[in-house]
Amino acid sequence: PTRPKDIHLENLRSSARSTPRGDLGIRKGASVSEQSRFVSTHMLSVAASAAGALALSLPTFVVLLRAMERSVGLAPPIPSQLAGESAEACALFRHLPALRLRLAWRSLGAVRTPVHSCGLNGRSFLVKREDLASPAYGGNKVRTLQHTLAVLEARRARAVAEGGAAPGMLVVGSGGSNQVVATAVHAARLGLPPPDVAWLSPDEPDLDNSLNMLSALSFPLGGRVTAWGASASGTLTLAASLLGLLPKLARGEVVFPIGANTAAGVLGQVGAMLELAEQVAAGECADPGRVYLPVGSACTLSGLVLGVALARRLGLPAFRASEFELVGVPIHHLFAAAERTLRLHTAAPFSAVPLTVGHTVREGAAALAQLGGPDVTAEALAVLESEVRFVTRPDLVG
């Protein structure tokens, strides 16, 4: 049950249901027990096919993801970025102004997103409208790309100024990925070349991002790295797609991993939480008791964890409720099952594995300290341990 002070961070997407079925293909009007049986069967199928891929490719996957993170990195702004963007438009810079000269940032035309009061079935809640972040393409990817695309732009400019070749860009996602569309849209607005795209796998049927796929294909794209359609098993297809990224990384190109889960991207999401803290302080909304959001690559949730820790360190009057929680709902059954059984996002053995909250929080906190901000690693890990809850019910996942 929700409470009046609950906040849902919306990540509205350009996708639509095109079939009369229910989620996951569940028959309309099916009972709860029928739904549970169907979802359990579906999960076993997903887990069985993924288990083989995981066993064969996990070490490769981890190494590649770490290489992708490093390929993006951090970079200070170039003169055109400093001249063209106001530091006051970035929540992170408003509170830590010294970072303005140490971390590249582009607004991407984004504005502060409002918090709306909503009601449904007699329950009231608040919604932070991240879908309104940009008139070109909104959603939570905008904040992530504000730093990652700016870092790429700065690195390309410096490489050319030094007589070298500007690094290319490749963006990784599943079919219908929001990140692919958002990157294509906002890279074009910055005058960057069309991104190469690596679609690693089709989306699960219940995600149904067909319109996102069509949107991505409507933009000029560079090369494509994908093994779709190959006469191979899912395990070999995934491995082939991953190995296809190696030449790009070897040439020093920038590869945006799934969800742009990088230190620079996480700091963009820290800004989202600082902005919400400002809205609480200004009386625009109540201090939330819970914040709900979907969890895919874990970039956004990791940034919110860091944002809570940083807001408290800065003394902002937000996120002070006695039972405050960040509530994450995974969008993929495999990750939900791993969290349910192995505590994927919080257990110590997974702290070195990219795409987990434990790893991403540590990387983001280290980057913040490296840039001259406060070291909030201990506080952020405490938030993760005691104030983050995952909802992994099979009938809600996806």
PDB file of all heavy atoms in Angstrom, residues 46 51 101 145 149 203-204 206 275 341 361 380 395:
ATOM      1  N   VAL A  46      13.306 -18.716 -18.632  1.00  0.00           N
ATOM      2  CA  VAL A  46      14.300 -17.650 -18.755  1.00  0.00           C
ATOM      3  C   VAL A  46      15.579 -18.017 -18.018  1.00  0.00           C
ATOM      4  O   VAL A  46      16.686 -17.882 -18.543  1.00  0.00           O
ATOM      5  CB  VAL A  46      13.727 -16.326 -18.209  1.00  0.00           C
ATOM      6  CG1 VAL A  46      14.821 -15.269 -18.137  1.00  0.00           C
ATOM      7  CG2 VAL A  46      12.585 -15.836 -19.078  1.00  0.00           C
ATOM      8  N   ALA A  51      21.080 -19.419 -17.623  1.00  0.00           N
ATOM      9  CA  ALA A  51      22.089 -20.049 -16.774  1.00  0.00           C
ATOM     10  C   ALA A  51      23.290 -20.515 -17.587  1.00  0.00           C
ATOM     11  O   ALA A  51      24.435 -20.330 -17.184  1.00  0.00           O
ATOM     12  CB  ALA A  51      21.475 -21.224 -16.012  1.00  0.00           C
ATOM     13  N   LEU A 101      34.295  22.876 -12.970  1.00  0.00           N
ATOM     14  CA  LEU A 101      35.500  22.927 -13.794  1.00  0.00           C
ATOM     15  C   LEU A 101      36.194  21.571 -13.908  1.00  0.00           C
ATOM     16  O   LEU A 101      37.262  21.477 -14.530  1.00  0.00           O
ATOM     17  CB  LEU A 101      36.477  23.955 -13.221  1.00  0.00           C
ATOM     18  CG  LEU A 101      35.974  25.404 -13.156  1.00  0.00           C
ATOM     19  CD1 LEU A 101      37.026  26.301 -12.522  1.00  0.00           C
ATOM     20  CD2 LEU A 101      35.605  25.910 -14.545  1.00  0.00           C
ATOM     21  N   LEU A 145      22.877  10.878 -19.609  1.00  0.00           N
ATOM     22  CA  LEU A 145      23.593  11.335 -20.800  1.00  0.00           C
ATOM     23  C   LEU A 145      24.140  12.746 -20.659  1.00  0.00           C
ATOM     24  O   LEU A 145      25.038  13.140 -21.414  1.00  0.00           O
ATOM     25  CB  LEU A 145      22.666  11.253 -22.014  1.00  0.00           C
ATOM     26  CG  LEU A 145      22.284   9.838 -22.459  1.00  0.00           C
ATOM     27  CD1 LEU A 145      21.195   9.885 -23.527  1.00  0.00           C
ATOM     28  CD2 LEU A 145      23.502   9.082 -22.987  1.00  0.00           C
ATOM     29  N   LEU A 149      27.559  11.989 -22.456  1.00  0.00           N
ATOM     30  CA  LEU A 149      27.751  12.580 -23.783  1.00  0.00           C
ATOM     31  C   LEU A 149      28.685  13.774 -23.724  1.00  0.00           C
ATOM     32  O   LEU A 149      29.477  14.009 -24.648  1.00  0.00           O
ATOM     33  CB  LEU A 149      26.410  12.992 -24.377  1.00  0.00           C
ATOM     34  CG  LEU A 149      25.542  11.872 -24.972  1.00  0.00           C
ATOM     35  CD1 LEU A 149      24.217  12.433 -25.468  1.00  0.00           C
ATOM     36  CD2 LEU A 149      26.264  11.148 -26.107  1.00  0.00           C
ATOM     37  N   ASP A 203      14.262  -7.904 -26.632  1.00  0.00           N
ATOM     38  CA  ASP A 203      13.558  -7.701 -25.370  1.00  0.00           C
ATOM     39  C   ASP A 203      12.661  -8.889 -25.073  1.00  0.00           C
ATOM     40  O   ASP A 203      12.180  -9.572 -25.980  1.00  0.00           O
ATOM     41  CB  ASP A 203      12.681  -6.445 -25.437  1.00  0.00           C
ATOM     42  CG  ASP A 203      13.436  -5.199 -25.003  1.00  0.00           C
ATOM     43  OD1 ASP A 203      14.554  -5.342 -24.483  1.00  0.00           O
ATOM     44  OD2 ASP A 203      12.906  -4.096 -25.173  1.00  0.00           O
ATOM     45  N   GLU A 204      12.416  -9.123 -23.780  1.00  0.00           N
ATOM     46  CA  GLU A 204      11.405 -10.103 -23.404  1.00  0.00           C
ATOM     47  C   GLU A 204      10.046  -9.630 -23.918  1.00  0.00           C
ATOM     48  O   GLU A 204       9.790  -8.431 -24.005  1.00  0.00           O
ATOM     49  CB  GLU A 204      11.357 -10.249 -21.882  1.00  0.00           C
ATOM     50  CG  GLU A 204      12.591 -10.897 -21.280  1.00  0.00           C
ATOM     51  CD  GLU A 204      12.780 -12.314 -21.760  1.00  0.00           C
ATOM     52  OE1 GLU A 204      11.799 -13.068 -21.773  1.00  0.00           O
ATOM     53  OE2 GLU A 204      13.904 -12.655 -22.144  1.00  0.00           O
ATOM     54  N   ASP A 206       7.166  -9.331 -22.641  1.00  0.00           N
ATOM     55  CA  ASP A 206       6.351  -8.471 -21.790  1.00  0.00           C
ATOM     56  C   ASP A 206       6.860  -7.030 -21.733  1.00  0.00           C
ATOM     57  O   ASP A 206       6.156  -6.142 -21.283  1.00  0.00           O
ATOM     58  CB  ASP A 206       6.244  -9.047 -20.373  1.00  0.00           C
ATOM     59  CG  ASP A 206       7.593  -9.343 -19.751  1.00  0.00           C
ATOM     60  OD1 ASP A 206       8.436  -9.913 -20.450  1.00  0.00           O
ATOM     61  OD2 ASP A 206       7.796  -9.005 -18.585  1.00  0.00           O
ATOM     62  N   GLU A 275      18.043  17.563  -6.705  1.00  0.00           N
ATOM     63  CA  GLU A 275      16.937  18.400  -7.176  1.00  0.00           C
ATOM     64  C   GLU A 275      15.666  18.122  -6.388  1.00  0.00           C
ATOM     65  O   GLU A 275      14.941  19.043  -6.001  1.00  0.00           O
ATOM     66  CB  GLU A 275      16.703  18.152  -8.665  1.00  0.00           C
ATOM     67  CG  GLU A 275      15.576  18.969  -9.271  1.00  0.00           C
ATOM     68  CD  GLU A 275      15.413  18.672 -10.747  1.00  0.00           C
ATOM     69  OE1 GLU A 275      16.297  19.071 -11.539  1.00  0.00           O
ATOM     70  OE2 GLU A 275      14.402  18.042 -11.126  1.00  0.00           O
ATOM     71  N   THR A 341      17.306 -14.586  -4.513  1.00  0.00           N
ATOM     72  CA  THR A 341      17.996 -15.765  -3.994  1.00  0.00           C
ATOM     73  C   THR A 341      19.433 -15.492  -3.554  1.00  0.00           C
ATOM     74  O   THR A 341      19.930 -16.148  -2.636  1.00  0.00           O
ATOM     75  CB  THR A 341      18.015 -16.874  -5.066  1.00  0.00           C
ATOM     76  OG1 THR A 341      18.653 -16.371  -6.261  1.00  0.00           O
ATOM     77  CG2 THR A 341      16.599 -17.321  -5.405  1.00  0.00           C
ATOM     78  N   VAL A 361      27.474   1.932  -6.750  1.00  0.00           N
ATOM     79  CA  VAL A 361      27.564   2.935  -5.684  1.00  0.00           C
ATOM     80  C   VAL A 361      29.022   3.194  -5.325  1.00  0.00           C
ATOM     81  O   VAL A 361      29.445   4.352  -5.157  1.00  0.00           O
ATOM     82  CB  VAL A 361      26.766   2.475  -4.448  1.00  0.00           C
ATOM     83  CG1 VAL A 361      27.166   3.274  -3.215  1.00  0.00           C
ATOM     84  CG2 VAL A 361      25.272   2.617  -4.700  1.00  0.00           C
ATOM     85  N   ALA A 380      26.757   6.085   1.879  1.00  0.00           N
ATOM     86  CA  ALA A 380      25.978   5.498   0.787  1.00  0.00           C
ATOM     87  C   ALA A 380      25.807   4.000   0.977  1.00  0.00           C
ATOM     88  O   ALA A 380      24.725   3.447   0.738  1.00  0.00           O
ATOM     89  CB  ALA A 380      26.663   5.794  -0.552  1.00  0.00           C
ATOM     90  N   ASP A 395       4.931 -11.649 -10.207  1.00  0.00           N
ATOM     91  CA  ASP A 395       3.793 -11.077 -10.910  1.00  0.00           C
ATOM     92  C   ASP A 395       3.920  -9.578 -11.125  1.00  0.00           C
ATOM     93  O   ASP A 395       3.140  -8.976 -11.855  1.00  0.00           O
ATOM     94  CB  ASP A 395       2.478 -11.370 -10.153  1.00  0.00           C
ATOM     95  CG  ASP A 395       2.500 -10.840  -8.721  1.00  0.00           C
ATOM     96  OD1 ASP A 395       3.566 -10.937  -8.092  1.00  0.00           O
ATOM     97  OD2 ASP A 395       1.464 -10.358  -8.256  1.00  0.00           O
TER      98      ASP A 395
END
